[in-house]
């Protein structure tokens, strides 16, 4: 199934998701390179809300660019199968290799603002991430590995701790609380 069809089939949880869904569908139709980060206005990214089997904890990384505890994710970079991108990012950013998607269905949608920043010595202008989130389960006892290019730490948090650990208020209020509620 195409990304367009996956997003079209997704049932939004709230007004934010409904509005973001509309924008994403229009953007796909009007931007051939929407899966490439070379599109400096907006491009697709994927996130993974990774929980333990009891669904009482989430796995987060301390992100180098955003200087905050955050969910796991990355750029589509031309790959339309965002589930595979999400699972690759989980392994790259945390070392977790035995996780599984709860479903290949989209878990949430959000359009995220990204401030201009330096990455690998190059300035990246402010832009939007058209983000698709999936839900994964992992064993909280599996060995975690820090990917120093991406993050400074990897840690399991209870949901309550995760909300306090993140220093990005918009994410806490509009994304993480929504994801916790959906679990």
């Amino acid at each position: 199934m195409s990304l367009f069809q996956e997003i079209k089939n997704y049932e939004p949880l709230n007004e934010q998701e409904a509005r973001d869904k509309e924008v994403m569908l229009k953007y796909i139709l009007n931007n051939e390179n929407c899966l490439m980060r070379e599109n400096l206005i907006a491009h697709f990214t994927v996130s993974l809300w990774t929980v333990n089997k009891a669904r009482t904890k989430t796995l987060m990384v301390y992100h180098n660019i955003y200087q905050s505890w955050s969910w796991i994710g990355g750029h589509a970079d031309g790959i339309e199968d965002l589930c595979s991108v999400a699972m690759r990012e989980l392994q790259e950013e945390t070392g977790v290799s035995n996780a599984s998607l709860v479903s290949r269905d989209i878990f949430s949608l959000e359009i995220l603002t990204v401030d201009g920043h330096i990455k690998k010595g190059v300035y990246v202008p402010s832009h939007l991430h058209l983000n698709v989130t999936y839900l994964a389960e992992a064993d909280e006892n599996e060995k975690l590995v820090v990917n120093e290019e991406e993050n400074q730490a990897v840690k399991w948090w209870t949901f309550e701790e995760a909300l306090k650990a993140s220093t990005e208020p918009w994410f806490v209020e509009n994304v993480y609380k929504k994801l916790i509620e959906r679990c």
Side-chain angles (χ1 to χ4, degrees):
M1 181 182 317
S2 71
L3 179 59
F4 180 87
Q5 196 61 49
E6 283 183 64
I7 294 171
K8 187 175 179 187
N9 292 348
Y10 177 72
E11 286 295 324
L13 178 69
N14 57 28
E15 183 181 7
Q16 169 264 308
E17 288 193 349
R19 299 292 304 266
D20 288 356
K21 175 182 171 177
E22 289 175 38
V23 171
M24 289 177 176
L25 291 173
K26 287 178 186 171
Y27 203 78
I28 290 170
L29 292 175
N30 294 304
N31 292 274
E32 223 174 79
N33 66 346
C34 65
L35 292 171
M36 303 298 293
R37 70 175 89 191
E38 287 77 21
N39 182 324
L40 297 178
I41 305 299
H43 45 260
F44 274 89
T45 57
V46 62
S47 292
L48 203 55
W49 188 246
T50 308
V51 296
N52 61 351
K53 302 239 186 262
R55 295 198 184 171
T56 57
K57 293 182 179 177
T58 187
L59 184 60
M60 299 183 94
V61 296
Y62 193 85
H63 201 281
N64 288 342
I65 292 173
Y66 305 118
Q67 294 294 299
S68 179
W69 286 99
S70 67
W71 54 6
I72 291 114
H75 290 85
D77 287 334
I79 300 170
E80 191 172 17
D81 178 7
L82 295 183
C83 287
S84 67
V85 175
M87 296 306 286
R88 182 193 72 221
E89 290 291 333
L90 177 63
Q91 186 165 13
E92 285 178 5
E93 291 185 22
T94 69
V96 171
S97 59
N98 293 315
S100 60
L101 288 174
V102 172
S103 169
R104 289 187 62 87
D105 293 338
I106 294 170
F107 192 61
S108 80
L109 292 176
E110 42 279 316
I111 296 177
L112 311 171
T113 58
V114 179
D115 290 336
H117 57 276
I118 303 290
K119 182 152 186 174
K120 297 181 181 177
V122 176
Y123 181 76
V124 178
S126 297
H127 59 280
L128 297 175
H129 282 171
L130 308 174
N131 195 68
V132 176
T133 302
Y134 295 95
L135 178 65
E137 284 184 355
D139 180 353
E140 65 185 288
N141 296 311
E142 186 173 343
K143 182 181 178 207
L144 301 175
V145 177
V146 173
N147 177 345
E148 293 178 1
E149 284 186 29
E150 298 283 333
N151 57 63
Q152 298 172 29
V154 181
K155 183 178 177 179
W156 285 96
W157 299 89
T158 66
F159 292 152
E160 296 77 25
E161 291 169 336
L163 295 175
K164 291 176 186 168
S166 177
T167 58
E168 299 175 286
W170 189 89
F171 277 84
V172 170
E173 290 302 316
N174 299 289
V175 180
Y176 300 150
K177 283 183 178 180
K178 171 181 71 170
L179 298 175
I180 291 167
E181 184 181 310
R182 287 199 104 160
C183 282

